[in-house]
C-alpha cells in the first residue's frame, strides 16, 4: 500500500509518498485551510475523520472521496490553487489483484467488509472474474461494484475528468457489440457531426479530436494504448467497428461510457488517462405516432367521429346503410360540412351510403338503415393523442404536446420558422411536463433555423426560453441540466436556481449530483467558498507554470526573491498586497485562461495579443466579482462564450478571436454595470434573435462587426436607452430596419453596413423617417445593403458628421434637405440608382465636408455652380460613373485638386483651364470687357476675344487688344497648342515675354506692342515660330534680336504685291504700323 493502490477501490487505500500530479504539479498540504473548506462542504459528516484517522497526511496523494465519479484514483489539490477545481490525478500505480488476500485496510483506514470467499484474481483471456466485492468504509456510505470481466470484452476507461452520469466503476474493459450505424430509429443520425445519445455516441465518426477542456487526443494506435488494450482485445478487430481512427473522439465502450471520449497524449494508464469529448448529441426524430389523423381510416372520439370520411357503409350488425340524400332529417345539402355526399359532374351534391355523424349529440359514426331506423357503425377510433388540433391562432389548452406540434405543421409554411418556433416551444414544454422531450429537438430546429448541431449553445438557449415562457419545475430543471451539463458546474446551477427562485418563484427542484437538492443556503455557502484566501505567490507560481512563463517575452522580476511580487512585470497590488491588476498583453502567454481563476480580487485584466486558446467556461466569470476591465482580444479563444464576463465589469474586449457563438444568459446575474463590449472580428454564426436576447441594459458601446451573424433584427428592437455606439457591420443580416428611435434614443454612431456577405444577405426596404428622431446621431452607415429609398428628413439630423448610404438600391433624387447638414464631414451616396440633377444645396456643405462621393449613379444635367465653393477646401469630390452629366464642369471645380474629373477633357477642357490661369495672371477682374469670362458653365469659345476651331473647340485666336490687361502673361499660355493669333497690344502688361510663347509653333500673328514689357527676349525665342508672319513688339522696354522672317513665294497671295525673288527677307520697323496684309 506504500507503493500502489487498488483500482477497483479507486485507490482509496494508497498510503505512499507521491506528492505531485501526473502533470508534475506540486500537491497542496491537506491541512491547508482552503482544502479543509472544500472537504468540509463536500463531506460534512466525515471530513474531520479524514484527519483524525491519519488518512490525509502532509501533501501526499490520497482519495478521500472515492464515491464521486470524477475522483476514481488517488489525487491531490494543487499548490497555489483556490477552489475545488484545482486538483489533479497522481501517477499512483495500481496494485496487482492476484496478490490480494482479502485483508482489510490498514488500521488507520476506514473499516471495510471483504467478500466471504475472496476469488482468485489472476486474469487471463480465459478467466472471468464474477464475484462482487462490496467495500463499506465509514466514508462514503455508498458501495463500489466490481463488475464482471470476460475475454470477449473491450477495454475502455471507467472514469473521466468530466464526470460520468453513472458512478459505476469497472475493473476491466467490456467489449460491446459493434454499433449499428445508420440504423437507429430513435435518432436522426449525422455521424460526421454528432452522436446519438441513445447509443452513447458509438455512431460518431466525425473529426473532433480534443477533449472537452481543449486537450488534444492521443492516437488510437499509440503503442501504450495498444499495449493496454491488447490484453483484452486478443483476436478482436475492434478498431474498424468503432471507427478508432487517427486521434478522433470515439466510444468503443458504450456499456460504461455514455458519450465519445479519447485518451490523453503521453498517458500510460488506460483507466485514468482519458476524458470525454464535447461531441454534440444528434437530435431525436418526431415521435412516429404524432401524425394528423387519417380520417379515411378512423374518427376522433373528441368530436364524436364527426370527422370520419371513410368508406364503411354497414352498421355494427352488418346492415347496409341507406343513402343520405334519401333521408328525411339529414340531407347532404343541409349539412355540407359533414361528408354526407359528393359533388357530381354537374356540381350537385349527391348523397353517399357511408357512415357519418352529422349530429352533435350521437356518438360514434352511424347511418340510417331505413327511413327512421339508425344504427352505429364499427369505425375505428383515431389515436386520441392526435385528435383535437386547435384552429390556427387558437391556444392549445390541453397538456397534449402532440397537438401543439400538429398545429405548427398545419398552420405554418414549411420554412416559416417565426410561425413554428412558438408552437414547437409550447410542444416541448408540454412534453417536459409529460416527462419526455419528444418535441424539443423540433423546437431547436425551428427556433434556430435548422442549425441544430451548428451551435452547441442552442440547446441551452432554447430551454432557457422555455423555462421563462412556460415556467415549471420540469421546464426549468431541464433548462438547468442543458445549460449546466457537467456535474461540477455548481456555480452555474446556483445561478440558475437563484434566477428561477427570484424571478419565476420556482425553487427546490435541482438535485445535486452527490445527493440532496440545491438550496439558497447551499449556494451561498458554495459561492462563498469558491475563492478562499491563499498565498499570492502560490497563485502566481501556478499561473506562471500553466501559461508558459519561461517563454514570455517579458518576465522580469518573476520569482526574484529580492523583489516584492507586487513589482513583478505586469502586476499591481492593493494595500493588502492582493493582486488586482494583470497586464501581460503582447507577451507570448500561452495555454488556457482557467489558471487565472485564483486571482479573485482582480479589477483589471489585459491579456490581449497573446496565444491563449481553448474555450471560456460559463462559470469563469464567478471567480472575478470585482473585475472592471477585461481585454482578451487578439488570442485564439474559440467556442461559445457568455459575454457577461463578471457582474461588475464595465469594459470587455473579446475581439479578434475565434468565438463561434455568444450570448447573455438570462439566468446569469444581470450585468448592470457593463458599458462596453467589443466582439468584433470573430466567427459568430448565429441568428440575430439569439445574439440580442438578454443584452445588458446599460450598454454604451456594442461592437459585433466582422462576424457571420444572420437573420433579421428583432422588431421591436431591444431597449438600450444608454447606448451611444452600435456597430454590427460586415455580417449577413437581412430583412427590414427596425424602429430604432424608441430603442436607442441616445445613439451617436450606428453602423449596419456591408451585410451582403452571401446572396441572402443585405438589409431591405426603406429607411424609415423614424431615423430623424435620433437627434444625437453623429455617424450613420448603412452602406452595402439592399435599401431602396431614404427620407428627405435625414437633412434634419443637424449633428450628423458622416452619412454613408453607398452600394444600395436607392432609386430617387437626392433630397435638397441634405444641404442643411452644415457639419457633415462625409457624404457617400455612391453605387446606387440616384437620378435627376445634383441639388445645388450640396454646395452649402463646403465648410466642413471632407468627402462627397456620388459616383456610379444615374445623375444628369449640369454639376451645380455652387460646387465651386469647394475650391480651396480639403474636400474630395467623386462624380465619376454618371454618364448623363452635362459638360462642362463649373470652371472653379476644375481647379480643385480633390475633384475626380479634373483630368476629364470633356468635363474640364484643358484650354478653358489655361484661359482661367491667363485671366488671373493678367488681372482679369480689371479688364474692360470680360463678357462670358469665368462663367461656371459657359463655353470658353464664347468668351470675349477667344476664337476656337469649330470642329474641336481648340483655341486658335486670342485677341484682347486695348482691353485693360495688366499683370503678366501667364506661362500657361503654352497650353494653347493650336493658337495662330495672339494680340495683346495696347494694354498695360508688365514683366518679361514668357519663353513659353516661343513654343506656340502654329502662331502666325504675334502682337504685344504698346505694353510695359521688359527684359530680354531669349535668343532661341523664334526658333519654333516657323509660321510667324507678323510680329509687333514695339512700344515696350524689351531687348534682343528679331531674326529675319523668311517666307516662301507661295505664301503671298496678294496679286498687287511688289515683285520679289524666290525668297523675301523682311523685318518690320516698330513705327511702321500694320502692313495692309494683316489689317
Amino acid at each position: 500500500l506504500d507503493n500502489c493502490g487498488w483500482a477497483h477501490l479507486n485507490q482509496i487505500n494508497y498510503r505512499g509518498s507521491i506528492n505531485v500530479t501526473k502533470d508534475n504539479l506540486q500537491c497542496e498540504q491537506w491541512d491547508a485551510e482552503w482544502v479543509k473548506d472544500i472537504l468540509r462542504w463536500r463531506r460534512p459528516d466525515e471530513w474531520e475523520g479524514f484527519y483524525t484517522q491519519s488518512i490525509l497526511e502532509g501533501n501526499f496523494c490520497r482519495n478521500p472521496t472515492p464515491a464521486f465519479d470524477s475522483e476514481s484514483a488517488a489525487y491531490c489539490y494543487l499548490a497555489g490553487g483556490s477552489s475545488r477545481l484545482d486538483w489533479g490525478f497522481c501517477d499512483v500505480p495500481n496494485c496487482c489483484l492476484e496478490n490480494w488476500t482479502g485483508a482489510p485496510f490498514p488500521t488507520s483506514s476506514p473499516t471495510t467488509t471483504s467478500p466471504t470467499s475472496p476469488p482468485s484474481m489472476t486474469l487471463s483471456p480465459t478467466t472471468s472474474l464474477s464475484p462482487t466485492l462490496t467495500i463499506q468504509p465509514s466514508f462514503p456510505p455508498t458501495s463500489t461494484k466490481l463488475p464482471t470481466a470476460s475475454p470477449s470484452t473491450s477495454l475502455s476507461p471507467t472514469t473521466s475528468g468530466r464526470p460520468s452520469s453513472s458512478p459505476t466503476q469497472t475493473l476491466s474493459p467490456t467489449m460491446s457489440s459493434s454499433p449499428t450505424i445508420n440504423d437507429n430509429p430513435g435518432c436522426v443520425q449525422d455521424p460526421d457531426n454528432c452522436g446519438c445519445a441513445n447509443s452513447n455516441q458509438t455512431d460518431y465518426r466525425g473529426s473532433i479530436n480534443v477533449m472537452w477542456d481543449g486537450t488534444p487526443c492521443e492516437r488510437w494506435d499509440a503503442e501504450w494504448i495498444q499495449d493496454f488494450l491488447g490484453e483484452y482485445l486478443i483476436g478482436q478487430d475492434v478498431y474498424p467497428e468503432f471507427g478508432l481512427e487517427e486521434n478522433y473522439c470515439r466510444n468503443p465502450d458504450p456499456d460504461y461510457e455514455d458519450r465519445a471520449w479519447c485518451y490523453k497524449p503521453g498517458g500510460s494508464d488506460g483507466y485514468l488517462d482519458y476524458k470525454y469529448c464535447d461531441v454534440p448529441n444528434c437530435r431525436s426524430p418526431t415521435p412516429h405516432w404524432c401524425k394528423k389523423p387519417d380520417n379515411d381510416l378512423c374518427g376522433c372520439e373528441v368530436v364524436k367521429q364527426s370527422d370520419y370520411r371513410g368508406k364503411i357503409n354497414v352498421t355494427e350488425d352488418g346492415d347496409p346503410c341507406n343513402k343520405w340524400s334519401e333521408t328525411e332529417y339529414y340531407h347532404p345539402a343541409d349539412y355540407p360540412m359533414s361528408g354526407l355526399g359528393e359533388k357530381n359532374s354537374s356540381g350537385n351534391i349527391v348523397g353517399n351510403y357511408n357512415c357519418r355523424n352529422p349530429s352533435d349529440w350521437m356518438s360514434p359514426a352511424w347511418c340510417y338503415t331505413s327511413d327512421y331506423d339508425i344504427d352505429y357503425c364499427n369505425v375505428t377510433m383515431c389515436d386520441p393523442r392526435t385528435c383535437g388540433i386547435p384552429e390556427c391562432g387558437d391556444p392549445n389548452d390541453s397538456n397534449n404536446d402532440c397537438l401543439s406540434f400538429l398545429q405548427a405543421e398545419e398552420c405554418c409554411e414549411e420554412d416559416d420558422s417565426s410561425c413554428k418556433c412558438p408552437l414547437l416551444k409550447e410542444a416541448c414544454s408540454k412534453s417536459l411536463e409529460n416527462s419526455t422531450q419528444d418535441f424539443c429537438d423540433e423546437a431547436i430546429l425551428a427556433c434556430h433555423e435548422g442549425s441544430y448541431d451548428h451551435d452547441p449553445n442552442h440547446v441551452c438557449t432554447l430551454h432557457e426560453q422555455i423555462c421563462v415562457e412556460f415556467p415549471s419545475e420540469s421546464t426549468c430543471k431541464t433548462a438547468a441540466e442543458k445549460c449546466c451539463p457537467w456535474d461540477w458546474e455548481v456555480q452555474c446551477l446556483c445561478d440558475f436556481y437563484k434566477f428561477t427562485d427570484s424571478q419565476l418563484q420556482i425553487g427546490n427542484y435541482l438535485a445535486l449530483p452527490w445527493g440532496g437538492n440545491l438550496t439558497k443556503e447551499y449556494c451561498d455557502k458554495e459561492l462563498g467558498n469558491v475563492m478562499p484566501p491563499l498565498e499570492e505567490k502560490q497563485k502566481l507560481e501556478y499561473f506562471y507554470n500553466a501559461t508558459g512563463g519561461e517563454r514570455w517575452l517579458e518576465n522580469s522580476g518573476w520569482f526574484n526573491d529580492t523583489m516584492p511580487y507586487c513589482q513583478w512585470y505586469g502586476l499591481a497590488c492593493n494595500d493588502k498586497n492582493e493582486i488586482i491588476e494583470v497586464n501581460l498583453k503582447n507577451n507570448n502567454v500561452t495555454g488556457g485562461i482557467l489558471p487565472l481563476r485564483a486571482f479573485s480580487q482582480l479589477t483589471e485584466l489585459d491579456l490581449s495579443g497573446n496565444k491563449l486558446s481553448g474555450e471560456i467556461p460559463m462559470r469563469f466569470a464567478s471567480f472575478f466579482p470585482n473585475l472592471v476591465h477585461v481585454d482578451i482580444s487578439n488570442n485564439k479563444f474559440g467556442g461559445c462564450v457568455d459575454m457577461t464576463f463578471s457582474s461588475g465589469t464595465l469594459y470587455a474586449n473579446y475581439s479578434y478571436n475565434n468565438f463561434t457563438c455568444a450570448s447573455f444568459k438570462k439566468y446569469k446575474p444581470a450585468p448592470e454595470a457593463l458599458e462596453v463590449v467589443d466582439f468584433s472580428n470573430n466567427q459568430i454564426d448565429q441568428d440575430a434573435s439569439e445574439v440580442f436576447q438578454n443584452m445588458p441594459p446599460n450598454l454604451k458601446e456594442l461592437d459585433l462587426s466582422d462576424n457571420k451573424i444572420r437573420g433579421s433584427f428583432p422588431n421591436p428592437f431591444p431597449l438600450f436607452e444608454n447606448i451611444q455606439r452600435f456597430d454590427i457591420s460586415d455580417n449577413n443580416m437581412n430583412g427590414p430596419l427596425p424602429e430604432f428611435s424608441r430603442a436607442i434614443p441616445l445613439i451617436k454612431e450606428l453602423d449596419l453596413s456591408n451585410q451582403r456577405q452571401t446572396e441572402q444577405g443585405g438589409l431591405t426596404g426603406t429607411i424609415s423617417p423614424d431615423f430623424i428622431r435620433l437627434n444625437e446621431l453623429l455617424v450613420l452607415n448603412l452602406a452595402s445593403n439592399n435599401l431602396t429609398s431614404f427620407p428627405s428628413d435625414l437633412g434634419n439630423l443637424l449633428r450628423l458628421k458622416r452619412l454613408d448610404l453607398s452600394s444600395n438600391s436607392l432609386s430617387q433624387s437626392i433630397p435638397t434637405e441634405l444641404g442643411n447638414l452644415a457639419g457633415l464631414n462625409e457624404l457617400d451616396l455612391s453605387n446606387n440608382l440616384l437620378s435627376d440633377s445634383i441639388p445645388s444645396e450640396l454646395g452649402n456643405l463646403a465648410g466642413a465636408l471632407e468627402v462627397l462621393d456620388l459616383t456610379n449613379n444615374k445623375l444628369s444635367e449640369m454639376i451645380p455652380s455652387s460646387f465651386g465653393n469647394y475650391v480651396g477646401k480639403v474636400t474630395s469630390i467623386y462624380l465619376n460613373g454618371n454618364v448623363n452629366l452635362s459638360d462642362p464642369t463649373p470652371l472653379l471645380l476644375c481647379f480643385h485638386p480633390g475633384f475626380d474629373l479634373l483630368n476629364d477633357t470633356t468635363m474640364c477642357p484643358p484650354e478653358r483651364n489655361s484661359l482661367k490661369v491667363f485671366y488671373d495672371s493678367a488681372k482679369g477682374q480689371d479688364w474692360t470687357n470680360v463678357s462670358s469670362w469665368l462663367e461656371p458653365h459657359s463655353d470658353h469659345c464664347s468668351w470675349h476675344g477667344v476664337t476656337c476651331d469649330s470642329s474641336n473647340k481648340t483655341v486658335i485666336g486670342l485677341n484682347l487688344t486695348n482691353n485693360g490687361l495688366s499683370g503678366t502673361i501667364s506661362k500657361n499660355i503654352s497650353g494653347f497648342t493650336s493658337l495662330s493669333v495672339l494680340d495683346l497690344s495696347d494694354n498695360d502688361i508688365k514683366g518679361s515675354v514668357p519663353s513659353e510663347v516661343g513654343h506656340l509653333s502654329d502662331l502666325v500673328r504675334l502682337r504685344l506692342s504698346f505694353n510695359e514689357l521688359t527684359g530680354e527676349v531669349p535668343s532661341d525665342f523664334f526658333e519654333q515660330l516657323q509660321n510667324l508672319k507678323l510680329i509687333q513688339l514695339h512700344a515696350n522696354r524689351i531687348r534682343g534680336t528679331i531674326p529675319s522672317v523668311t517666307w516662301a513665294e507661295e505664301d503671298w497671295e496678294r496679286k498687287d504685291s511688289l515683285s520679289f525673288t524666290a525668297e523675301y527677307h523682311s523685318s518690320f520697323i516698330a513705327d511702321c504700323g500694320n502692313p495692309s496684309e494683316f489689317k
Side-chain angles (χ1 to χ4, degrees), residues 432 437 459-460 463 473-486 489 492-493 496 509-511:
L432 293 173
Q437 297 186 26
V459 178
C460 171
H463 283 281
E473 289 192 4
S474 298
T475 57
C476 293
K477 180 177 185 294
T478 302
E481 292 170 350
K482 300 297 184 182
C483 293
C484 313
W486 306 107
E489 292 187 301
C492 177
L493 292 172
F496 214 104
Y509 63 94
L510 291 176

Side-chain angles (χ1 to χ4, degrees), residues 156-168:
S156 116
T158 62
T159 61
S160 168
R162 201 168 196 174
S164 168
S165 60
S166 169
T168 304

Side-chain angles (χ1 to χ4, degrees), residues 671-958:
E672 299 292 339
L674 192 59
E675 295 182 350
V676 179
V677 172
D678 188 346
F679 227 102
S680 61
N681 293 277
N682 278 280
Q683 301 293 321
I684 301 173
D685 191 352
Q686 290 176 275
D687 189 89
S689 61
E690 300 174 37
V691 176
F692 289 109
Q693 276 190 343
N694 309 322
M695 281 275 186
N698 295 317
L699 279 178
K700 292 183 178 179
E701 295 187 27
L702 176 62
D703 192 341
L704 298 170
S705 61
D706 287 284
N707 282 287
K708 298 177 182 179
I709 301 171
R710 48 193 155 72
S712 58
F713 284 107
N715 200 2
F717 195 69
L719 192 64
F720 299 115
E721 292 184 327
N722 298 315
I723 199 164
Q724 298 179 18
R725 178 175 175 267
F726 175 39
D727 188 348
I728 195 172
S729 60
D730 295 284
N731 280 282
N732 196 34
M733 304 282 293
N734 55 36
L737 292 167
E739 291 189 5
F740 281 118
S741 62
R742 177 198 61 84
I744 51 175
L746 300 181
I747 192 71
K748 293 183 178 180
E749 297 183 31
L750 180 60
D751 193 342
L752 314 179
S753 63
N754 198 21
Q755 301 299 330
R756 296 193 303 222
Q757 303 297 310
T758 67
E759 293 181 358
Q760 292 77 32
L763 301 172
T764 57
T766 63
I767 301 174
S768 168
D770 171 72
F771 274 85
I772 68 171
R773 299 187 183 93
L774 301 175
N775 299 320
E776 302 296 321
L777 201 59
L778 300 177
V779 175
L780 177 58
N781 189 351
L782 300 175
S784 297
N785 283 290
N786 295 314
L787 301 168
T788 55
S789 67
F790 63 101
S792 60
D793 292 340
L794 287 184
N796 295 328
L797 296 174
L798 300 182
R799 301 190 63 180
L800 208 58
K801 299 295 183 183
R802 181 188 177 200
L803 176 60
D804 190 345
L805 305 179
S806 62
S807 300
N808 278 283
S809 300
L810 304 175
S811 55
Q812 63 184 85
S813 59
I814 299 175
T816 60
E817 288 82 357
L818 294 184
N820 298 334
L821 303 175
L824 203 63
N825 300 135
E826 179 180 342
L827 175 60
D828 192 345
L829 303 176
S830 62
N831 298 294
N832 279 290
L833 303 172
L834 299 171
S835 57
D836 299 330
S837 61
I838 301 173
S840 61
E841 287 80 0
L842 294 189
N844 300 338
L845 306 179
L849 200 65
E850 298 176 1
V851 176
L852 173 60
D853 194 344
L854 303 177
T855 57
N856 298 319
N857 278 287
K858 296 183 177 182
L859 300 170
S860 58
E861 302 184 28
M862 291 283 188
I863 300 172
S865 58
S866 61
F867 274 37
N869 298 341
Y870 292 107
V871 177
K873 310 294 184 182
V874 295
T875 311
S876 297
I877 301 175
Y878 305 102
L879 299 177
N880 193 29
N882 291 284
V883 297
N884 295 323
L885 286 175
S886 302
D887 61 81
T889 293
L891 178 61
L892 293 180
L893 194 56
C894 291
F895 288 85
H896 181 54
F899 181 43
D900 68 334
L901 298 179
L902 187 67
N903 297 318
D904 187 316
T905 57
T906 301
M907 301 301 290
C908 289
E911 292 188 337
R912 187 178 68 148
N913 294 347
S914 296
L915 286 171
K916 165 68 167 60
V917 176
F918 174 84
Y919 174 93
D920 292 338
S921 182
K923 297 186 177 180
Q925 68 272 18
D926 298 329
W927 293 359
T928 304
N929 187 345
V930 291
S931 175
S932 299
W933 276 76
L934 305 192
E935 291 182 0
H937 296 107
S938 63
D939 184 348
H940 63 280
C941 295
S942 66
W943 295 358
H944 170 72
V946 178
T947 304
C948 293
D949 186 329
S950 60
S951 64
N952 57 20
K953 292 190 175 183
T954 57
V955 177
I956 59 175
L958 183 58

Side-chain angles (χ1 to χ4, degrees), residues 18 60 73 87 121 235 245 254 283 297 334 386 433 441 447 460 521 579 827 861-862 886 893 978 1036 1047:
I18 295 175
F60 303 134
W87 65 280
M121 305 307 288
E245 303 166 333
R283 67 183 183 91
L297 301 176
D334 297 329
T386 65
E433 294 294 338
D441 286 347
C447 298
C460 171
E521 292 73 24
I579 305 297
L827 175 60
E861 302 184 28
M862 291 283 188
S886 302
L893 194 56
S978 299
N1036 285 289
W1047 292 322

Side-chain angles (χ1 to χ4, degrees), residues 959-1033:
N959 188 345
L960 295 172
T961 183
N962 192 26
N963 198 41
L965 276 68
S966 60
T968 61
I969 301 174
S970 168
K971 293 181 179 182
N972 276 36
I973 201 165
S974 62
F976 305 118
T977 57
S978 299
L979 194 66
S980 60
V981 175
L982 177 60
D983 192 342
L984 305 179
S985 61
D986 294 300
N987 284 291
D988 193 25
I989 301 174
K990 298 177 176 58
S992 61
V993 178
S995 61
E996 285 76 7
V997 175
H999 300 161
L1000 302 175
S1001 59
D1002 287 347
L1003 202 60
V1004 173
R1005 179 178 175 180
L1006 175 61
R1007 293 190 69 208
L1008 301 178
S1009 57
F1010 294 101
N1011 279 287
E1012 297 290 332
L1013 296 169
T1014 60
E1016 185 169 352
V1017 177
S1019 59
D1020 60 351
F1021 183 82
F1022 297 97
E1023 289 183 0
Q1024 296 185 46
L1025 302 180
Q1026 297 300 311
N1027 295 314
L1028 198 62
K1029 295 181 179 180
L1030 172 66
I1031 180 172
Q1032 287 189 338
L1033 304 176

